[in-house]
Amino acid sequence: MKMTGAQIILDGFVKEGVEVIFGILGGAILPLYDTLPQYPQLRHILVRHEQAAAHAADAYARVTGKVGVCMATSGPGATNLVTGIANAHLDSSPMVAITGQVPRALIGTDGFQEADITGITLPITKNNYLVRDTASLARTLKEAFHLARTGRPGPVLIDVPRDVFTDQVEYHYPSKLDLPSYKPILQGHPAQIKKAARLISESQQPVIIAGHGVIISQAYDQLRQLAETAQIPVVTTLLGVSCFPESHVLSYGMLGMHGMVCANMAVSTSDLIIAVGMRFDDRATGTVSTFAPHARIIHIDIDPAEIGKNVPVDVPIVGDVKTVLGALNKQITSTAHIDWVTQIDEWRRQHPSTDIRDSESVLPQYVVRQIYEVTKGDATIITGVGQNQMWAAQHFWYDKPNTLISSGGLGTMGFGLPAAVGVKVGRPDSTVWLIDGDGSFQMTIQELATIAQERLAIKIAIMDNGYLGMVRQWQELFFGRRYVATPLSGPDFVKVGEAYGIPGLKVTRKIDVIPAVEQAMKEQGPFLIDFKIEPEENVYPMVPSGASLAEMLEEPRKEEAVWPQRSTP
Ligand SMILES: Cc1ncc(C[n+]2csc(CCOP(=O)(O)OP(=O)(O)O)c2C)c(N)n1
Ligand SMILES: [Mg+2]
């Protein structure tokens, strides 16, 4: 059967299970959009900036486990996707991006709206393609979806010249692929798994560090079984938050730069780290040379390139987290580490990192906690980047799997609002709260229009401190309080919301926090709350950059606050 390039792409989408596409059109991709009505099963969401299309597709993928799809036209449309693609790349999110390109005859001539997007995105995609031969389109599409969703997931870009969309060729969608050089290893090596089991049985002070890989491979039950059988305390990375119920007795919260004191002390004291689907990012490890100085390390990860990249490991196990943990659990015998767990509980008691002090003003930690209380924890939280992100990670308790969606590796301000769009589209029945910063929010504020047009019931809490707060915190602590370029003005966010048809409230007093959150929950549609928070509130605990995890800066108002504090318990 003959089909146009545009039909081949859209038919391929349907065959790959795509239901939603985020994008904006333009001249080069117009023939593809013109063909969209022939495929009514594909829902297109028109965003207001291509960066938002990529973030929405990324977040949609994170909550659905499906491949997120975004589309943009050539030149500026394609380059606007770049930040979103890099974000998906660093956070291992499965995505396929389709970009229009100038017609084949114009490639390399600096034609109108020509940008070498495959060149530009080469280092931030798992793979990318410029389709020169329409006959290869179907196979390329099949390959792109396969690469995006298998192994360590990631973004794949397909750049399609305008005349390829309209070209007609014989079409059949390939049923299988032959990629001899791409064979992700799923089963862990049995000898390594055995070694790991032995180390676990010998350890007196084991700690599991669980990362995003647990969520990606949906290994929640396997992780829990390992922790419970061998009584191993669990800490998580930022992107690992919500891979293990935070109310569980063995949960000690997030580790790292803004992690819990007890979590960082546990890692710094441990004799065995079991790192599961995490990649030893510097925000999680602190200075690597002093990371977990007494511990042997077992590292389970699907990507062999991560093994030994940042931290030398004793037992590497390459494989899918769920599969490897499943095999490992068969060799784990029931153990208890009563002294060890008691010790970490004691650290937690001495350093209650999530206590919120009494204050008359609107404290951001209090706001996050009230969102937790009012929703009873039954919500998906999306964050901006900065202090708001850390407060959201610290002060909401994530008991349900995969309920914190945040930009980890790239730390992309502006991720929040478009990511909330992707989450709400992917989880229409879930309560969706965006906890954002006033700076981050202003980076993609235009997506309020997308929310309004699509009638997405997203609840927005802006932690409005009038600062690029996280940077101001660094200036306060490490740059002699010189607040260069961090004071930030903004519009009246409630009025902006109203201009888009989104109701909202401004909250300046503590007593108005709960009623505002309750009203947001009562509203059928989207709702925006501008929380005027304590402007110079800091995020604690904090491991200053360049310090080890054992050197935590705690909230100065607390008696035991000392820094630098070398804890060698
Ligand atoms: C796109 C981008 N530009 C700059 C930064 C550097 N940066 C990190 S946090 C931050 C401040 C964020 O301000 P805001 O969104 O108001 O959050 P707050 O820390 O005040 O909660 C900045 C500028 C970044 N992460 N991303
Ligand atoms: Mg701010």
Side-chain angles (χ1 to χ4, degrees):
M1 187 199 345
K2 282 210 162 204
M3 273 200 182
T4 65
Q7 287 171 322
I8 291 170
I9 292 172
L10 298 179
D11 193 78
F13 280 178
V14 173
K15 292 204 163 62
E16 293 294 337
V18 175
E19 291 170 357
V20 185
I21 302 162
F22 302 90
I24 306 187
L25 73 177
I29 202 168
L30 188 47
L32 182 61
Y33 271 81
D34 190 51
T35 310
L36 258 180
Q38 295 174 26
Y39 296 84
Q41 62 271 63
L42 295 172
R43 175 180 180 193
H44 180 266
I45 296 197
L46 180 68
V47 293
R48 298 299 182 272
H49 187 297
E50 290 83 353
Q51 181 188 351
H55 288 326
D58 170 346
Y60 173 86
R62 294 191 205 198
V63 296
T64 59
K66 300 174 70 161
V67 176
V69 175
C70 57
M71 308 205 296
T73 196
S74 66
T79 55
N80 271 353
L81 286 178
V82 168
T83 301
I85 293 172
N87 192 81
H89 184 61
L90 275 175
D91 286 351
S92 311
S93 199
M95 181 199 283
V96 168
I98 306 283
T99 47
Q101 182 54 281
V102 299
R104 280 169 285 189
L106 284 183
I107 289 177
T109 67
D110 289 343
F112 178 63
Q113 295 194 324
E114 182 182 3
D116 174 10
I117 197 62
T118 45
I120 292 168
T121 58
L122 188 67
I124 54 164
T125 46
K126 196 165 165 185
N127 201 10
N128 69 23
Y129 307 83
L130 169 60
V131 180
R132 290 178 183 273
D133 174 10
T134 316
S136 70
L137 194 51
R139 183 181 44 80
T140 303
L141 205 73
K142 174 99 185 164
E143 213 172 285
F145 276 90
H146 181 70
L147 290 176
R149 67 160 77 95
T150 55
R152 177 179 183 167
V156 178
L157 181 138
I158 309 176
D159 197 25
V160 186
R162 192 181 198 280
D163 56 325
V164 169
F165 288 126
T166 49
D167 221 8
Q168 283 212 350
V169 291
E170 200 57 41
Y171 170 70
H172 45 86
Y173 202 64
S175 54
K176 36 177 215 258
L177 280 171
D178 184 27
L179 297 170
S181 60
Y182 178 77
K183 296 251 184 295
I185 298 166
L186 302 181
Q187 317 278 339
H189 194 287
Q192 296 295 87
I193 292 176
K194 205 166 162 191
K195 231 191 260 178
R198 187 167 49 76
L199 284 190
I200 292 171
S201 70
E202 288 167 6
S203 165
Q204 303 298 314
Q205 298 171 318
V207 174
I208 293 171
I209 305 180
H212 197 194
V214 176
I215 292 175
I216 294 171
S217 87
Q218 304 192 347
Y220 311 111
D221 295 344
Q222 289 75 8
L223 174 66
R224 194 171 168 151
Q225 194 188 329
L226 173 64
E228 288 178 353
T229 310
Q231 288 292 300
I232 306 175
V234 178
V235 304
T236 71
T237 64
L238 172 68
L239 291 193
V241 168
S242 78
C243 79
F244 188 76
E246 292 196 329
S247 61
H248 195 288
V249 281
L250 288 166
S251 169
Y252 292 92
M254 183 170 76
L255 89 163
M257 181 172 271
H258 294 292
M260 303 297 100
V261 170
C262 63
N264 285 344
M265 285 172 98
V267 168
S268 301
T269 314
S270 165
D271 66 3
L272 180 68
I273 300 290
I274 304 140
V276 187
M278 59 82 74
R279 60 184 178 86
F280 298 99
D281 179 80
D282 54 271
R283 286 295 194 268
T285 60
T287 304
V288 282
S289 55
T290 50
F291 173 74
H294 315 293
R296 305 241 233 154
I297 299 181
I298 299 167
H299 188 192
I300 304 169
D301 202 286
I302 198 156
D303 184 357
E306 290 298 343
I307 304 287
K309 188 181 84 176
N310 297 338
V311 167
V313 298
D314 298 274
V315 184
I317 307 177
V318 175
D320 170 56
V321 164
K322 189 174 188 165
T323 314
V324 172
L325 287 184
L328 181 61
N329 282 337
K330 293 201 182 108
Q331 304 188 27
I332 299 291
T333 44
S334 287
T335 347
H337 300 101
I338 295 166
D339 293 349
W340 175 229
V341 172
T342 311
Q343 167 71 85
I344 307 175
D345 283 336
E346 181 60 18
W347 287 327
R348 177 157 56 187
R349 206 187 51 73
Q350 289 167 357
H351 304 269
S353 306
T354 52
D355 272 10
I356 302 171
R357 71 173 190 281
D358 246 346
S359 168
E360 280 313 296
S361 60
V362 179
L363 290 183
Q365 302 90 329
Y366 176 81
V367 173
V368 173
R369 185 67 54 80
Q370 298 321 312
I371 294 175
Y372 172 81
E373 295 292 344
V374 173
T375 60
K376 300 190 176 62
D378 189 9
T380 304
I381 305 294
I382 301 101
T383 76
V385 164
Q387 294 180 310
N388 62 87
Q389 177 181 31
M390 295 302 137
W391 289 317
Q394 292 174 336
H395 294 279
F396 193 97
W397 284 302
Y398 299 88
D399 266 348
K400 300 203 163 54
N402 197 12
T403 44
L404 175 66
I405 304 298
S406 196
S407 166
L410 199 64
T412 311
M413 288 173 69
F415 173 78
L417 191 58
V421 168
V423 170
K424 189 65 192 171
V425 170
R427 276 190 190 157
D429 300 328
S430 172
T431 298
V432 172
W433 274 89
L434 166 64
I435 297 178
D436 214 347
D438 49 336
S440 296
F441 191 67
Q442 289 186 70
M443 284 209 180
T444 45
I445 193 168
Q446 76 285 344
E447 297 309 318
L448 287 172
T450 307
I451 289 172
Q453 183 168 353
E454 294 291 329
R455 300 175 193 283
L456 300 172
I458 295 164
K459 316 298 174 183
I460 301 167
I462 302 171
M463 299 293 154
D464 188 355
N465 51 10
Y467 280 111
L468 296 166
M470 186 57 94
V471 185
R472 185 209 56 75
Q473 175 168 345
W474 284 45
Q475 291 172 329
E476 177 187 332
L477 299 176
F478 314 116
F479 288 81
R481 289 186 69 99
R482 292 182 297 280
Y483 292 172
V484 181
T486 42
L488 174 81
S489 70
D492 181 329
F493 291 114
V494 176
K495 281 193 179 152
V496 171
E498 272 166 16
Y500 284 108
I502 297 169
L505 281 174
K506 192 188 309 270
V507 172
T508 56
R509 296 181 310 168
K510 186 179 178 181
I511 53 162
D512 297 327
V513 171
I514 294 172
V517 174
E518 283 172 346
Q519 186 169 341
M521 292 297 292
K522 261 187 235 130
E523 286 291 328
Q524 289 281 307
F527 198 80
L528 181 153
I529 311 175
D530 180 9
F531 289 104
K532 295 283 187 191
I533 60 165
E534 180 70 36
E536 295 195 31
E537 188 64 19
N538 284 339
V539 179
Y540 290 111
M542 177 177 193
V543 176
S545 98
S548 83
L549 285 188
E551 297 173 303
M552 284 158 285
L553 189 58
E554 291 187 68
E555 183 157 7
R557 293 166 197 87
K558 288 183 193 154
E559 283 158 36
E560 63 269 49
V562 254
W563 184 79
Q565 171 204 41
R566 250 175 222 288
S567 18
T568 38

